[in-house]
Amino acid sequence: MLGRIWRLLIGPVLSTRRVRHERLPVLLALPVFASDALSSSAYATEEMMLVLWSAGEEALRLAFPISLAVVALLFIVVFSYRQTVYAYPQGGGAFIVSRENLGEFWGVLAASALLVGYTLTVAVSIAAGVNAIISAFPALLPYRVSLCILFIALMTLINLRGARESGLVFAPPTYGFVLTFAILILVGLLRGFAGDISPAPYPPYGEGAVTLSWLVILTAFARGCSALTGVEAISDGVAAFKSPESRNAALTLLLMAIILAGLVLGITYTASHFHVLPVKNEQGEIVETLTSRLARTVLEGTPFEWFYYVVQAATMLILILAANTAYVDFPRLSSVLANARFAPRQLANLGDRLVFNNGIILLGVLSALLIVYFRGDTHSLIPLYAVGVFIGFTLSQAGMARRFARLKPPRWRIGMMISGFGACTTGLVLMTQLIANFRYGAWITLVSIGVLMFLLFKVHEHYMAIKGQLKPKPTEPRTLRHKVVVLVPSVHQGVLQALDYARLLSHPDEIVALHVNLDPRPPAVYRRVLKRTKDEETELRLVTPAAEKMQQEWRQFVPDIPLVILDSEHRSLTEPIEEYLDELMEREPLDQVTVVIPEFYPRKWWHHLLHNQSAWILRLALMKKPKVVVSTVRYFLER
């Protein structure tokens, strides 16, 4: 039943041979890998202008020059990453580059920073997309968190269906967003130069206004740099491109940079020209975004006012679908870490649809927790956002500079200068981010990265310890001393089948049947019997009629195997069995004990709810005992 629902949601199983057919051409790769970076233009300008707004109109005049600095930094990073995709066509991005060229510590730092950044990408993108909906329909504000969780679940489901399908789903909204904002910016410029729109005076900032200082300018630049988040995604996922992988990835990087630069500069210039700012309510919450306000201003008084809802729909779709960049790269980077034994091996497994299911689900859960904790507030999440990304930028480019110096390929000096300059630039921006955003939450990102690094190293230590312990050693072959213990709830067909299996494992002389009496209360009908212990001493023991009846049935159906009955004073099933096994291995020095557990298996799923699942409980209890092998023999019921 559950399997059918799963197949209906994510589609039929794909053959491993189809991996190459699931790779993406440039036109589909651009929306899959660049939607995060492109969508950040919808909130990067807003975050920058919110900071400048607090310092008054004089500071707001710096919005466009600051956006030029952001775009310059964008092209520095992109040209450096183009070298990375040619040098590392297998993907892996900052983790592989830093680990190979700078050392294991720096590689794990880069991976931790990117994983935290990808989780924040989903939370920020979804929250910003929901804010675009709320800007058009303010009545939805109380349902912001619920809407965010709903969209995270939808994105998780879409990505579980596979990379090619997600590319087909995301291409129309991504290209639609670019076209819609290109039209909006063009109409705004035409109306502005024609004098159709007179800039309104800037509204007062309210409480918290400050004077213009270098810290304000640096903070505005740091917030504006959120436009660069997602740039590294292409270098992480080169292996997802169609052949030639590196060439297609480099082309996609360049296209993304050109489009993103045009959007950031266009939105910032038109918003500054018309004195457009986001709208706050009395509580200081943003109830209308800057892009929403810009669309209203540009389209107001024209026959195309309806186009405002097209702009908002396009913004909402691109922001929500921008989370797809993280959904592609978080699982892929997790699989690289798992293969390098820094993350649980389950994260390296390809799912039914040739995607890393476990990484996709993990990302969805983590981002949903962030949304709940920060109540879906984009402006609380943004200061946490860019720190991890710029750590990855800096380490990746420093690693590439080191690689050029170490391998000295053709034109290595030029490549080293480009990567070195990029590393220095992004390193300075990283310090700016930390200074400007530390008190706004950047410290949380640093702590999260530190905790994740600790966990990754502990996982690696565990796997290395296992590898050392499992390393084969030359030993002389020997015969193991072995005994089989069959657990017997009662005498029925499933138990008899389990006993047949036990006889295949060992001679009947080495088989013991074990029954636990969970209700050893002494009624009046008890009688005294004599029993010989291991020390040949005679003792008095009480036997219930039920136990005596079972012994009679046992002698009738299983005469060749002895039955041991244990009383459980505290009504525990596992405790007396574990004590018996410990005593058995102490009394008869054994190398191995096989515990056979008979279990009947109902035909219908809901029948399982009517039984106490004692076999499952016993398996869990006995799995931790050394020298004990647990084997379950299932008897399938017909009705």
Side-chain angles (χ1 to χ4, degrees):
M1 181 69 176
L2 293 176
R4 291 197 196 100
I5 295 174
W6 181 255
R7 290 272 73 79
L8 181 66
L9 289 174
I10 71 167
V13 179
L14 296 178
S15 167
T16 307
R17 297 188 186 95
R18 289 195 56 184
V19 170
R20 294 193 64 84
H21 299 291
E22 292 296 303
R23 295 191 177 184
L24 302 169
V26 171
L27 289 179
L28 289 182
L30 184 66
V32 169
F33 286 102
S35 54
D36 175 26
L38 295 179
S39 68
S40 62
S41 61
Y43 54 78
T45 297
E46 177 180 294
E47 291 299 321
M48 178 175 61
M49 294 188 74
L50 275 172
V51 175
L52 296 174
W53 185 15
S54 66
E57 185 172 346
E58 183 182 354
L60 284 165
R61 293 196 187 98
L62 299 174
F64 189 70
I66 292 174
S67 69
L68 287 173
V70 171
V71 168
L73 178 63
L74 167 66
F75 278 99
I76 291 171
V77 172
V78 165
F79 278 112
S80 181
Y81 267 104
R82 278 172 61 87
Q83 298 185 132
T84 303
V85 299
Y86 280 111
Y88 292 91
Q90 74 275 20
F95 169 66
I96 298 293
V97 177
S98 303
R99 186 187 182 202
E100 183 177 299
N101 299 289
L102 301 177
E104 197 166 80
F105 175 85
W106 301 107
V108 174
L109 172 59
S112 302
L114 287 176
L115 290 175
V116 171
Y118 289 142
T119 307
L120 285 164
T121 292
V122 176
V124 170
S125 298
I126 296 292
V130 169
N131 285 342
I133 302 173
I134 293 171
S135 295
F137 305 100
L140 295 175
L141 181 61
Y143 308 101
R144 179 165 62 184
V145 173
S146 300
L147 287 171
C148 288
I149 299 296
L150 176 64
F151 284 120
I152 287 174
L154 178 63
M155 290 298 301
T156 302
L157 178 61
I158 290 173
N159 277 275
L160 286 172
R161 293 190 63 88
R164 176 169 287 274
E165 290 202 24
S166 64
L168 292 171
V169 168
F170 301 153
T174 303
Y175 290 120
F177 168 79
V178 173
L179 179 62
T180 299
F181 268 80
I183 294 172
L184 180 66
I185 292 167
L186 182 61
V187 171
L189 292 174
L190 290 175
R191 295 196 70 192
F193 291 140
D196 292 347
I197 305 174
S198 298
Y202 283 117
Y205 182 75
E207 293 184 10
V210 297
T211 56
L212 181 60
S213 64
W214 278 107
L215 181 61
V216 171
I217 296 171
L218 288 176
T219 303
F221 175 71
R223 298 289 177 88
C225 285
S226 59
L228 274 69
T229 53
V231 170
E232 79 291 340
I234 293 173
S235 69
D236 288 338
V238 180
F241 284 79
K242 277 188 174 294
S243 182
E245 292 86 351
S246 295
R247 182 173 174 275
N248 287 331
L251 177 59
T252 306
L253 258 172
L254 186 59
L255 289 174
M256 177 194 67
I258 293 170
I259 296 171
L260 178 57
L263 290 173
V264 169
L265 293 177
I267 292 172
T268 306
Y269 181 83
T270 50
S272 299
H273 183 75
F274 297 129
H275 294 184
V276 173
L277 290 168
V279 178
K280 293 183 177 181
N281 61 14
E282 294 178 356
Q283 290 75 37
E285 295 178 304
I286 302 296
V287 293
E288 186 173 11
T289 62
L290 181 139
T291 53
S292 171
R293 195 68 207 153
L294 178 62
R296 289 188 193 275
T297 303
V298 169
L299 300 170
E300 192 174 14
T302 70
F304 305 104
E305 288 190 26
W306 55 268
F307 193 69
Y308 164 79
Y309 293 99
V310 176
V311 172
Q312 288 306 101
T315 306
M316 180 268 293
L317 284 173
I318 187 64
L319 285 168
I320 289 173
L321 297 181
N324 185 68
T325 300
Y327 272 103
V328 171
D329 278 335
F330 181 98
R332 196 173 291 277
L333 177 56
S334 299
S335 73
V336 172
L337 285 168
N339 287 324
R341 296 188 176 94
F342 281 97
R345 289 176 178 171
Q346 296 90 329
L347 294 173
N349 299 336
L350 271 177
D352 296 343
R353 301 288 294 177
L354 301 178
V355 292
F356 300 103
N357 285 3
N358 295 326
I360 290 171
I361 294 171
L362 176 62
L363 177 60
V365 171
L366 292 176
S367 55
L369 292 175
L370 272 177
I371 287 290
V372 172
Y373 183 80
F374 287 98
R375 302 183 302 279
D377 184 4
T378 310
H379 307 289
S380 298
L381 288 164
I382 287 288
L384 287 69
Y385 191 20
V387 172
V389 174
F390 274 90
I391 290 175
F393 284 168
T394 304
L395 291 176
S396 176
Q397 293 172 106
M400 282 301 299
R402 166 77 184 205
R403 185 178 189 273
F404 281 116
R406 182 168 55 87
L407 299 181
K408 292 182 173 56
R411 295 184 293 181
W412 65 273
R413 288 185 177 85
I414 296 175
M416 186 178 70
M417 288 176 59
I418 293 173
S419 294
F421 180 68
C424 292
T425 306
T426 54
L428 289 173
V429 175
L430 171 61
M431 298 306 298
T432 302
Q433 294 278 350
L434 291 174
I435 294 169
N437 291 326
F438 189 83
R439 65 192 179 105
Y440 296 107
W443 65 270
I444 299 175
T445 304
L446 292 179
V447 171
S448 301
I449 291 170
V451 170
L452 184 55
M453 285 184 69
F454 173 78
L455 294 175
L456 293 180
F457 275 118
K458 293 300 287 185
V459 169
H460 187 67
E461 180 184 323
H462 170 73
Y463 282 137
M464 290 299 100
I466 287 180
K467 183 180 179 182
Q469 292 181 48
L470 295 180
K471 187 176 181 180
K473 301 173 184 177
T475 55
E476 293 292 331
R478 62 190 182 92
T479 303
L480 296 178
R481 289 165 294 182
H482 175 244
K483 201 152 194 172
V484 180
V485 177
V486 182
L487 303 185
V488 179
S490 62
V491 181
H492 57 67
Q493 192 62 39
V495 168
L496 298 180
Q497 183 174 296
L499 289 166
D500 290 338
Y501 174 74
R503 291 186 183 96
L504 294 174
L505 298 178
S506 191
H507 190 274
D509 293 341
E510 301 298 328
I511 302 174
V512 176
L514 185 63
H515 172 75
V516 178
N517 183 16
L518 295 176
D519 190 14
R521 289 174 294 181
V525 294
Y526 271 38
R527 61 187 180 83
R528 295 178 183 273
V529 298
L530 297 178
K531 182 182 177 183
R532 295 281 181 180
T533 66
K534 62 180 180 179
D535 298 325
E536 299 296 326
E537 295 178 356
T538 304
E539 66 173 11
L540 295 175
R541 188 165 181 265
L542 296 175
V543 178
T544 63
E548 188 174 12
K549 180 184 177 184
M550 183 172 180
Q551 287 175 336
Q552 291 173 356
E553 291 180 346
W554 190 260
R555 285 192 292 270
Q556 177 184 352
F557 290 100
V558 195
D560 60 330
I561 295 175
L563 173 67
V564 177
I565 299 178
L566 302 176
D567 290 336
S568 180
E569 183 179 350
H570 300 102
R571 298 161 305 285
S572 168
L573 181 63
T574 59
E575 184 179 327
I577 293 174
E578 290 186 274
E579 290 177 355
Y580 176 81
L581 293 174
D582 291 338
E583 181 186 341
L584 178 65
M585 285 188 283
E586 183 180 348
R587 184 174 70 244
E588 304 177 27
L590 300 170
D591 296 300
Q592 204 81 56
V593 174
T594 298
V595 178
V596 178
I597 304 176
E599 179 183 21
F600 58 83
Y601 198 83
R603 287 188 62 187
K604 297 182 180 179
W605 66 270
W606 61 271
H607 288 175
H608 291 274
L609 304 177
L610 306 178
H611 303 282
N612 57 17
Q613 309 299 323
S614 56
W616 179 74
I617 296 170
L618 283 168
R619 280 197 299 272
L620 287 179
L622 298 177
M623 277 168 52
K624 63 185 179 182
K625 295 189 73 65
K627 298 183 180 181
V628 173
V629 176
V630 180
S631 181
T632 303
V633 178
R634 289 180 174 177
Y635 181 75
F636 289 84
L637 301 176
E638 296 179 359
R639 62 174 71 179

